Amino acid sequence: GENVEQHPSTLSVQEGDSAVIKCTYSDSASNYFPWYKQELGKRPQLIIDIRSNVGEKKDQRIAVTLNKTAKHFSLHITETQPEDSAVYFCAAMYYGQNFVFGPGTRLSVLP
Amino acid sequence: DTEVTQTPKHLVMGMTNKKSLKCEQHMGHRAMYWYKQKAKKPPELMFVYSYEKLSINESVPSRFSPECPNSSLLNLHLHALQPEDSALYLCASSQETLAGDEQYFGPGTRLTVT
């Protein structure tokens, strides 16, 4: 089955700096890679996603890159703000049905 | 309406009790999911329903029994649970089960088994 690794497990940045979170996956059949943000006590919410036929996608301060050959994808957040503090999960969808989440990254944006 | 709702928000049950978790969406989605999330861990997929039929069961113990009465509703029946089953149970839905279909999560039911 699919296995998703995510690094780092915790990340602290100063407000205004950039944050980068990296994920790797094992199953080359995976073709959809979403990123979820989960604040304490809240539901996971999709912040950006990328399909396997695209190498990069950007939405304002958030961007995701995908390297299919190396089987890794990354989340980039620029100009971080305190409200970006949360746990971020990457995920890989395989066989068109399953979601396998990475273990998560706890991001703290320090004022 | 782009929301998935879940009831109850909190549930405390004994190991001999029978209870049910409910999930509802009115987005016309044909795929619905149950996930289990332990503290400081990612959500783990339990079940997937596609067009009201169970399509994925991730080797979940039989003390968890899913049901999809119609395309808008998803239930999870609980019986003879163990304390280690205490967790946040998240429901999600998507247009279908195709790659690229965003999953919308409900707020979850926090379950405590005593």
Side-chain angles (χ1 to χ4, degrees):
Chain A
E2 176 64 279
N3 180 51
V4 178
E5 296 184 357
Q6 184 172 347
H7 299 280
S9 56
T10 60
L11 178 60
S12 293
V13 299
Q14 289 295 135
E15 183 177 357
D17 287 352
S18 296
V20 180
I21 303 170
K22 298 182 179 182
C23 288
T24 61
Y25 61 99
S26 60
D27 191 337
S28 56
S30 290
N31 53 7
Y32 174 60
F33 307 92
W35 286 88
Y36 284 86
K37 175 184 180 182
Q38 188 174 28
E39 297 177 65
L40 190 62
K42 300 283 184 68
R43 74 190 80 189
Q45 292 199 296
L46 182 75
I47 55 171
I48 196 166
D49 57 10
I50 192 166
R51 291 162 179 72
S52 58
N53 59 348
V54 175
E56 185 174 357
K57 183 177 178 180
K58 188 173 182 181
D59 183 4
Q60 299 183 339
R61 297 187 296 112
I62 297 173
V64 58
T65 59
L66 170 65
N67 183 327
K68 281 185 62 180
T69 304
K71 289 190 276 189
H72 65 71
F73 54 113
S74 300
L75 177 71
H76 305 253
I77 306 174
T78 59
E79 301 172 23
T80 52
Q81 300 166 2
E83 52 264 39
D84 293 330
S85 296
V87 178
Y88 290 81
F89 293 103
C90 62
M93 188 174 204
Y94 76 107
Y95 299 140
Q97 290 189 299
N98 287 359
F99 263 4
V100 178
F101 282 81
T105 296
R106 183 170 299 279
L107 174 65
S108 299
V109 179
L110 308 174
Chain B
D1 185 358
T2 57
E3 193 173 5
V4 176
T5 59
Q6 290 186 244
T7 56
K9 289 186 178 179
H10 302 274
L11 178 62
V12 179
M13 61 184 291
M15 289 188 285
T16 59
N17 291 160
K18 285 185 180 181
K19 296 286 184 182
S20 296
L21 309 185
K22 296 186 184 301
C23 174
E24 191 167 1
Q25 57 87 15
H26 295 287
M27 294 179 278
H29 289 173
R30 304 313 301 267
M32 297 185 78
Y33 309 76
W34 279 115
Y35 287 87
K36 174 183 178 180
Q37 187 176 25
K38 303 280 275 184
K40 299 186 179 182
K41 296 290 186 182
E44 292 182 32
L45 186 67
M46 300 175 71
F47 302 104
V48 179
Y49 271 84
S50 178
Y51 287 84
E52 300 153 53
K53 293 190 188 316
L54 183 64
S55 62
I56 299 278
N57 176 341
E58 290 285 9
S59 303
V60 179
S62 60
R63 57 186 184 268
F64 296 91
S65 175
E67 178 196 19
C68 190
N70 60 56
S71 59
S72 299
L73 294 173
L74 185 67
N75 299 323
L76 186 63
H77 303 297
L78 314 172
H79 173 54
L81 294 193
Q82 304 296 310
E84 58 265 28
D85 296 322
S86 298
L88 180 68
Y89 287 84
L90 292 161
C91 173
S93 71
S94 65
Q95 193 71 33
E96 294 191 4
T97 56
L98 302 175
D101 282 346
E102 177 182 352
Q103 289 193 12
Y104 293 81
F105 283 85
T109 293
R110 190 160 298 281
L111 174 68
T112 303
V113 182
T114 61

